[in-house]
């Protein structure tokens, strides 16, 4: 068990990768965020009347800052102190707290909108995390999720391989087996969880949430080679779930 001054998430690589992550995200985010996820994610929140939001696994706070620009009072939580410290420095007027998705330190029904922007893949106890997200959501509120597509994570850690004919293809295997693998790029080395889509769907349905939107977004702009790569493989998905008013 971790001591009182040691993050329980240290072993998954996030604490060690925090500075490399901050440098890689910069102001605009990476290709997937900037050209694939940001436009449809923002479209799902604009003009909807959301007053308060919780960003679970906010990292360095980039999407929190975007939500704040939309006039939404946003709280960001993340278990990595270095990321929260950076978020506070970038957005002194924001509300950023060290915290875990599996133990949200908020009363029931606290937020109009709860966002999980590529954070479910980082959480070992995803069942408890989803239950907590549903708990802090107000009746009639929205849980907005962006996640790596399960067909994509089923290819970790190898993914792109050259077949017998010399053609580069994306290979998936053991799709139904939940597992965790290491992902490494540009000085970042972190753990990502693969789970079949049915695992996420089942957990969300168990909380009494209703699916109101599902999309597998395509790139909008950006480098042509990157666009072509993202169009070959189901990379991301976006889901919107509504909490019943009863």
């Amino acid at each position: 068990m971790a001591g009182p001054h040691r993050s329980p998430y240290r072993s998954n690589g996030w604490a060690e990768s925090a500075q490399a992550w901050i440098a890689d995200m910069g102001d605009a985010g990476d290709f997937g965020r900037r050209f694939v996820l940001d436009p449809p994610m923002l479209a799902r929140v604009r003009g909807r009347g959301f007053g308060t939001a919780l960003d679970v696994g906010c990292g360095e706070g980039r999407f929190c800052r975007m939500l704040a620009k939309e006039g939404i009072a946003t709280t960001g939580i993340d278990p990595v102190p270095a990321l929260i410290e950076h978020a506070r420095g970038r957005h002194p007027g924001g509300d950023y707290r060290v915290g875990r998705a599996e133990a949200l330190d908020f009363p029931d029904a606290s937020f109009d909108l709860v966002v999980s922007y590529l954070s479910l893949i980082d959480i070992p106890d995803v069942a408890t995390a989803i239950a907590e997200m549903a708990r802090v959501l107000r009746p009639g509120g929205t849980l907005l999720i962006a996640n790596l597509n399960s067909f994509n994570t089923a290819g970790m850690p190898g993914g792109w391989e050259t077949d017998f004919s010399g053609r580069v293809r994306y290979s998936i295997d053991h799709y139904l087996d939940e597992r965790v693998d290491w992902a490494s790029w540009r000085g970042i080395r972190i753990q990502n969880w693969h789970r079949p889509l049915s695992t996420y769907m089942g957990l969300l349905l168990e909380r009494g949430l209703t699916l109101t939107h599902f999309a597998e977004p395509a790139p909008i702009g950006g480098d042509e080679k990157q666009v072509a790569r993202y169009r070959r493989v189901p990379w991301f998905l976006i889901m919107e779930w509504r909490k019943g008013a009863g």
Side-chain angles (χ1 to χ4, degrees):
M1 180 177 293
H5 303 296
R6 183 178 179 186
S7 166
Y9 279 75
R10 182 172 178 80
S11 63
N12 69 5
W14 272 105
E16 298 88 342
S17 298
Q19 296 307 318
W21 177 266
I22 290 167
D24 194 55
M25 288 296 104
D27 293 328
D30 57 12
F31 179 90
R33 287 166 175 76
R34 182 179 180 185
F35 294 109
V36 186
L37 287 174
D38 284 352
M41 287 289 281
L42 287 173
R44 301 308 306 173
V45 303
R46 284 180 174 144
R48 301 278 298 278
F50 297 125
T52 57
L54 175 67
D55 187 347
V56 179
C58 69
E60 81 296 347
R62 192 187 64 90
F63 198 65
C64 287
R65 297 191 294 273
M66 297 172 76
L67 290 174
K69 288 181 180 178
E70 298 296 325
I72 303 171
T74 303
T75 299
I77 70 150
D78 198 277
V80 182
L83 295 177
I84 291 296
E85 181 181 353
H86 181 83
R88 289 170 176 165
R90 288 294 310 274
H91 186 198
D95 182 0
Y96 298 96
R97 311 180 191 187
V98 176
R100 298 173 53 212
E102 304 94 324
L104 296 176
D105 191 17
F106 304 99
D108 295 355
S110 294
F111 299 95
D112 302 326
L113 171 68
V114 175
V115 175
S116 173
Y117 194 133
L118 295 184
S119 60
L120 291 181
I121 55 171
D122 299 319
I123 301 171
D125 187 359
V126 71
T128 300
I130 287 174
E132 280 288 270
M133 292 180 203
R135 179 184 65 78
V136 302
L137 193 61
R138 288 176 181 154
T142 293
L143 172 57
L144 181 60
I145 295 171
N147 204 32
L148 283 178
N149 195 301
S150 294
F151 291 112
N152 186 286
T153 56
M156 296 191 303
W160 294 98
E161 298 178 349
T162 302
D163 67 13
F164 66 93
S165 67
R167 181 176 174 83
V168 177
R169 299 181 182 274
Y170 193 82
S171 300
I172 70 172
D173 203 359
H174 299 289
Y175 176 81
L176 292 177
D177 298 331
E178 185 172 318
R179 62 188 183 274
V180 64
D181 286 298
W182 289 95
S184 302
W185 73 99
R186 294 189 291 277
I188 301 164
R189 185 174 183 270
I190 57 175
Q191 287 185 339
N192 280 170
W193 283 83
H194 163 71
R195 301 177 178 98
L197 180 58
S198 58
T199 295
Y200 294 112
M201 301 294 279
L203 291 171
L204 290 156
L205 290 168
E206 284 176 10
R207 307 319 304 178
L209 302 174
T210 300
L211 180 65
T212 58
H213 178 78
F214 184 93
E216 294 172 303
I220 303 172
D223 177 75
E224 291 184 2
K225 290 184 178 179
Q226 284 277 66
V227 170
R229 182 182 177 90
Y230 271 68
R231 292 190 68 86
R232 287 190 63 189
V233 174
W235 210 275
F236 298 118
L237 59 80
I238 292 175
M239 298 188 288
E240 184 175 312
W241 295 78
R242 183 173 299 148
K243 185 173 183 177

